[in-house]
Amino acid sequence: MPSPARANLLVCTGCGGESFVPEIEPTDVDETPALARDDEIDAARIRRLAIERRSINRTASYFIVAAGVCVVAIGQLAWMTIQHVRFLGWTPRPIGYVLFIVLAIWGAWYFGQRARSLHREAKASTLPDPATPPDFSSLDDGSKHWKNLEDVR
């Protein structure tokens, strides 16, 4: 409990020990340097962007796996259709296989398109395009470096 005379001196009620607590002015707490605050914001933004890119890449890999499953299903169904027609003719079963082949072709196309669009999204820049083109007039062509080398001789 702080004594009325000294607000920064605390006395323990159990042991009677005294502790000194430095005074903190309210302005010290509220005024964090703007640079540190900007760094925290930038670090949080970088973490958020990294998590977003990882999730986009993960989702794209799921679509790639799904497209691969569809391609394997196309091959397996085509093989089963050929074998069934060869030995038993065109019964309802191979017709169903052909219908599932069409569905698997559509699935492979759909999942491939989704994976490509997510890949483009992951590779896209998050920075907006500049409003004005950059000004390179203040840059030199580097010829003075050659002249400096000639002066060394």
Side-chain angles (χ1 to χ4, degrees):
M1 162 182 260
S3 67
R6 298 184 69 189
N8 56 354
L9 180 65
L10 296 178
V11 180
C12 179
T13 56
C15 67
E18 296 179 349
S19 297
F20 177 76
V21 179
E23 290 184 16
I24 300 175
E25 295 180 20
T27 57
D28 291 344
V29 176
D30 294 338
E31 294 178 13
T32 56
L35 183 60
R37 196 174 319 129
D38 288 343
D39 288 344
E40 289 175 10
I41 292 171
D42 288 344
R45 181 174 180 269
I46 290 169
R47 279 193 300 274
R48 183 183 52 80
L49 288 174
I51 291 170
E52 182 180 340
R53 292 262 169 112
R54 274 196 307 263
S55 67
I56 289 172
N57 288 333
R58 185 181 313 115
T59 305
S61 67
Y62 292 156
F63 282 127
I64 290 170
V65 169
V69 167
C70 288
V71 169
V72 170
I74 291 167
Q76 182 65 35
L77 288 168
W79 176 256
M80 290 167 54
T81 302
I82 292 169
Q83 293 299 319
H84 197 277
V85 169
R86 178 194 262 173
F87 294 115
L88 299 174
W90 282 100
T91 61
R93 183 174 282 180
I95 294 171
Y97 291 160
V98 171
L99 293 175
F100 278 111
I101 287 173
V102 171
L103 183 65
I105 288 171
W106 176 82
W109 174 83
Y110 174 77
F111 291 131
Q113 291 295 320
R114 292 286 297 161
R116 264 183 250 130
S117 70
L118 286 172
H119 179 71
R120 280 192 301 270
E121 184 180 339
K123 296 297 179 193
S125 175
T126 58
L127 296 175
D129 289 335
T132 59
D135 180 25
F136 296 119
S137 62
S138 62
L139 300 176
D140 62 356
D141 62 354
S143 61
K144 69 176 182 176
H145 296 292
W146 287 106
K147 291 178 182 175
N148 291 341
L149 289 174
E150 289 175 357
D151 292 341
V152 171
R153 283 193 262 164

